[in-house]
Amino acid sequence: MTYQAVNEIFETLDADFGAAEAHGIAVAMLCVEPRADVDNWLQALFSDVPSIEEADLSLLNSLFEQTRQLLSEDNEDYEFDLFLPDIEEPLFEQIEALRVWCQGFLYGVGFSQSNSDWPGEMGEVMRDIIELTKIDSDADDEEDANALMEVHEYLRVAILTVRDYFLDASQPQNH
């Protein structure tokens, strides 16, 4: 499954978003509720779920379920990654995809203000993600490419922190 193939589905459906933003929403939904349903994700993406070709629907379902598996606390290999354009794509496209991925993630969490009362490290991560929605995609040199790779890796690990926060919050507390 390639980023381009999934993004083409959204273009075909004339969606207001692309694969990166949709994946951000899926990741957030699965961090908040690991048992989230693919149908809820599709409903969040499309107010009126359009008629989607069976092959395209299968690809979207696969993306969601693969994301669930990679975010699973049982996945000890930490293989989770953001679904973004390949490194061969123009740098501005990669940066823009990362920016909208963050927007999708925040939408999926239902978080839109940096002054929310998230505790400790979780608050820092959420504020960082908010700041990343403001990045400028106007970049074109090796230094910018290296910075993007560092931000990408930070986000990959930060999302696992968010997942752990919600997993811990859902566990019954013994007093």
Side-chain angles (χ1 to χ4, degrees):
M1 154 182 3
T2 66
Y3 177 85
Q4 206 58 20
V6 173
N7 207 48
E8 285 176 17
I9 294 170
F10 292 105
E11 288 174 4
T12 300
L13 296 172
D14 200 26
D16 293 335
F17 47 83
E21 191 168 3
H23 187 253
I25 293 169
V27 169
M29 291 176 77
L30 290 165
C31 282
V32 173
E33 176 51 65
R35 295 179 307 263
D37 186 76
V38 68
D39 291 331
N40 292 342
W41 177 55
L42 292 172
Q43 201 67 41
L45 296 177
F46 308 103
S47 54
D48 296 319
V49 178
S51 176
I52 303 174
E53 290 186 30
E54 191 62 37
D56 292 345
L57 187 58
S58 178
L59 191 59
L60 293 176
N61 284 331
S62 292
L63 175 62
F64 189 85
E65 292 305 326
Q66 181 181 28
T67 302
R68 177 194 315 276
Q69 181 182 15
L70 292 174
L71 282 170
S72 166
E73 65 183 324
D74 298 333
N75 182 358
E76 295 176 5
D77 295 330
Y78 301 105
E79 297 170 333
F80 167 76
D81 204 354
L82 286 66
F83 195 62
L84 299 171
D86 292 330
I87 197 164
E88 293 83 30
E89 297 300 321
L91 186 57
F92 74 91
E93 286 182 24
Q94 295 176 57
I95 294 170
E96 181 61 15
L98 183 120
R99 186 185 71 73
V100 297
W101 189 96
C102 290
Q103 285 180 335
F105 182 81
L106 292 171
Y107 174 80
V109 171
F111 181 85
S112 63
Q113 298 177 23
S114 61
N115 62 356
S116 185
D117 190 24
W118 295 95
E121 191 176 6
M122 179 68 174
E124 290 175 39
V125 166
M126 297 305 278
R127 283 186 295 278
D128 289 345
I129 293 172
I130 288 169
E131 287 304 310
L132 288 170
T133 66
K134 302 171 187 172
I135 62 174
D136 184 3
S137 59
D138 214 16
D140 60 1
D141 63 15
E142 190 172 327
E143 187 176 314
D144 293 331
N146 290 336
L148 176 63
M149 286 191 324
E150 288 178 22
V151 169
H152 183 143
E153 182 59 22
Y154 167 77
L155 271 174
R156 194 182 74 73
V157 174
I159 295 307
L160 296 175
T161 300
V162 172
R163 177 207 60 191
D164 292 346
Y165 169 82
F166 283 111
L167 282 173
D168 290 346
S170 70
Q171 301 298 319
Q173 301 296 318
N174 293 330
H175 287 69

